[in-house]
Amino acid sequence: MTDNAIRQATAIAHPNIALIKYWGKAENTTENEPAVSSLSITLDELATRTTLTFDTAYKTDRLTLNGKPDTAKLPRISSALSVMRQLAGITTPCHIDTSNNFPTGAGLASSASGFAALVVAANQALDLNLSLQQQSKLARAMSGSAARSLFGGFSKIYLPHAQLEPAPFGSNYAEPVAPADHWPLEVCVGVVSEEEKAIGSTAGMENSRNTSPYYSAWTAGNDADVINAEALVQARDFDKLAELSEFSCLKMHALALASRPALLYWSGATMDAMRAIQRWRAEGTPVFFTVDAGPQIKAICAPGYGELVAQRLSELSGIKRVIRCRLGQGARLLD
């Protein structure tokens, strides 16, 4: 690619919700390597759309997020793009125009979908011809969860398979577990707050690694949880997956709560929804919860139960709105 060419590409990606949680980064890594394995589902209704325009007429990179200039987030995104520019052998500035149809930075994995879309668009615009595995590694280096948003349905990052590889790709990447139509679970996202969280995931993970007395136990158990969860997905065993996923979620938040200072991502409405969902399951509705680093509640239910669960969730105090989702596709280019 010549440095004076104008190149543009648009990609869409969806956030993924970890059923077996990722919380913690490996020590002494320059490539954002995760410390634990994880398994997730990719959602269809929530989406990030990103257009990259590389043009020598620009003096510097610039970012438009949800229709407004954003200088605060630009350095991280510009740094990520510079890795891909280096691979292409150019220094051309870029205008990043990206938008989310869901709250940004509020515990709904907007960084995962955002960086997945960025990698796919840049791979096309810069003619890099990277493999899906290489794209997943680059996305992971930008945001740990972004590696999984390259894939639809169910996907995982499983650490023991990794082979060391030189920068910029690092060693860990996501892999597909099962397509969306293997087990078309439904997800109801209960939005508790539209605000960005006060403590981001990266800072929170480092705080937990450095201060929580539970951290070593957390890292020791995740590989087995991912192996078990993958088997349950393949068998479509809802009840056992519900128990294991809630167990993983509560372990992660116990770890965060035992950090210093404590990381409390839940609100009162989050707690009320968690209790309600466990009560509904005990009464016979196939549904379980998971909560990431934010107050939003995600209710995962068996196929055909989304409407019922969404209605019940919307009636709970503190739930501002409910977004119904199914399992979606991986990151992809748009014409």
Side-chain angles (χ1 to χ4, degrees), residues 192-193 264-272 274 294-296 318:
V192 173
S193 172
L264 178 55
Y265 287 109
W266 299 340
S267 70
T270 311
M271 287 286 292
D272 290 344
M274 290 161 64
Q296 326 302 354

Side-chain angles (χ1 to χ4, degrees), residues 214-232:
Y214 303 154
Y215 190 75
S216 59
W218 164 254
T219 57
N222 259 58
D223 287 348
D225 287 349
V226 168
I227 291 171
N228 291 336
E230 182 172 6
L232 295 174

Side-chain angles (χ1 to χ4, degrees), residues 135-256:
Q135 292 180 64
S136 178
K137 289 180 179 183
L138 282 172
R140 186 263 308 137
M142 298 170 187
S143 170
S145 300
R148 299 189 306 257
S149 280
L150 266 290
F151 300 94
F154 301 82
S155 64
K156 67 177 180 180
I157 294 178
Y158 184 59
L159 301 190
H161 72 53
Q163 298 296 317
L164 293 178
E165 186 175 331
F169 298 114
S171 60
N172 295 311
Y173 54 91
E175 300 174 285
V177 169
D181 59 6
H182 165 74
W183 196 13
L185 299 177
E186 299 183 45
V187 182
C188 300
V189 178
V191 177
V192 173
S193 172
E194 306 274 352
E195 302 296 322
E196 288 198 36
K197 55 197 177 190
I199 301 175
S201 296
T202 297
M205 288 182 194
E206 282 301 287
N207 185 36
S208 293
R209 181 172 69 83
N210 291 326
T211 68
S212 179
Y214 303 154
Y215 190 75
S216 59
W218 164 254
T219 57
N222 259 58
D223 287 348
D225 287 349
V226 168
I227 291 171
N228 291 336
E230 182 172 6
L232 295 174
V233 168
Q234 299 297 351
R236 295 190 288 270
D237 190 326
F238 189 89
D239 290 340
K240 290 183 179 178
L241 182 64
E243 189 279 330
L244 180 58
S245 183
E246 289 187 356
F247 175 60
S248 178
C249 170
L250 294 174
K251 279 197 298 181
M252 186 199 96
H253 285 279
L255 171 73

